[in-house]
């Protein structure tokens, strides 16, 4: 094995210290301004200089920006829906409890002065139905609060 020969590799031209080697295209001269791409800050390298890695990176960043914007729109829509739901519940509570309270009050007053057994029986049924409705409205409100 003493007869093995070593092959010398050709000496490649090394880039000067502090400069980047060219990859896939020419780099602009030091200090030269790169063209500004629409929507990108001027200090970001432009993807159009022939470097495939830049193009892939910027495609990924653009996709990421689109996903983030879509997420923000969805969050805003969900927030609007939650606000509309809260407003609806507030209005529905007033719209339902006010007439129920009125019916209960009138039925209670009429029951105090009623002497006829049939009339008393009918007023008791009205009071029970009004209280049941009031109870159901309270259950709905409780469920809505738990949903928040």
């Amino acid at each position: 094995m003493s007869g093995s020969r070593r092959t010398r590799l050709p000496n490649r031209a090394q880039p000067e210290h502090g400069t980047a080697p060219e990859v896939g295209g020419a780099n602009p001269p030091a200090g030269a301004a790169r063209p500004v791409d629409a929507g990108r800050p001027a200090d970001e390298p432009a993807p159009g200089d022939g470097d495939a890695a830049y193009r892939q990176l910027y495609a990924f960043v653009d996709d990421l920006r689109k996903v983030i914007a879509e997420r923000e729109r969805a969050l805003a829509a969900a927030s609007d829906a939650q606000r509309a739901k809260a407003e609806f519940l507030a209005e529905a509570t007033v719209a339902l409890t006010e007439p129920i309270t009125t019916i209960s009050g009138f039925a209670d007053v009429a029951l105090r002065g009623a002497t006829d057994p049939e009339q008393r029986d009918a007023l008791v049924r009205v009071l029970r139905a009004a209280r049941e409705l009031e109870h159901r409205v309270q259950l709905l409100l409780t469920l809505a609060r738990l949903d928040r």
Side-chain angles (χ1 to χ4, degrees):
M1 301 265 162
S2 63
S4 67
R5 292 177 19 185
R6 290 184 145 170
T7 308
R8 291 192 74 178
L9 296 174
N11 191 7
R12 293 185 190 175
Q14 298 295 318
E16 293 180 27
H17 183 66
T19 62
E22 292 185 22
V23 177
N27 286 336
R34 294 178 183 251
V36 177
D37 214 43
R40 288 190 173 73
D43 61 340
E44 289 184 12
D49 64 357
D51 189 355
Y54 277 130
R55 287 192 304 275
Q56 289 175 345
L57 177 63
Y58 282 109
F60 174 76
V61 170
D62 285 342
D63 290 344
L64 189 59
R65 286 178 180 159
K66 289 174 188 174
V67 168
I68 289 170
E70 185 178 320
R71 180 181 178 269
E72 288 173 352
R73 282 190 300 272
L75 286 173
S79 177
D80 291 344
Q82 186 69 23
R83 194 174 3 230
K85 176 183 154 186
E87 288 175 15
F88 171 77
L89 285 173
E91 291 176 16
T93 300
V94 171
L96 291 172
T97 56
E98 195 174 290
I100 292 171
T101 304
T102 303
I103 291 168
S104 296
F106 279 118
D108 192 40
V109 169
L111 186 60
R112 289 183 198 159
T115 54
D116 182 25
E118 285 182 29
Q119 189 180 27
R120 289 183 66 79
D121 194 37
L123 290 170
V124 166
R125 279 188 266 140
V126 168
L127 273 173
R128 282 188 196 141
R131 288 186 183 132
E132 179 64 28
L133 280 174
E134 196 170 11
H135 177 69
R136 290 180 183 186
V137 168
Q138 291 304 316
L139 286 175
L140 285 173
L141 290 174
T142 302
L143 286 173
R145 285 187 198 113
L146 291 176
D147 191 35
R148 291 182 200 174

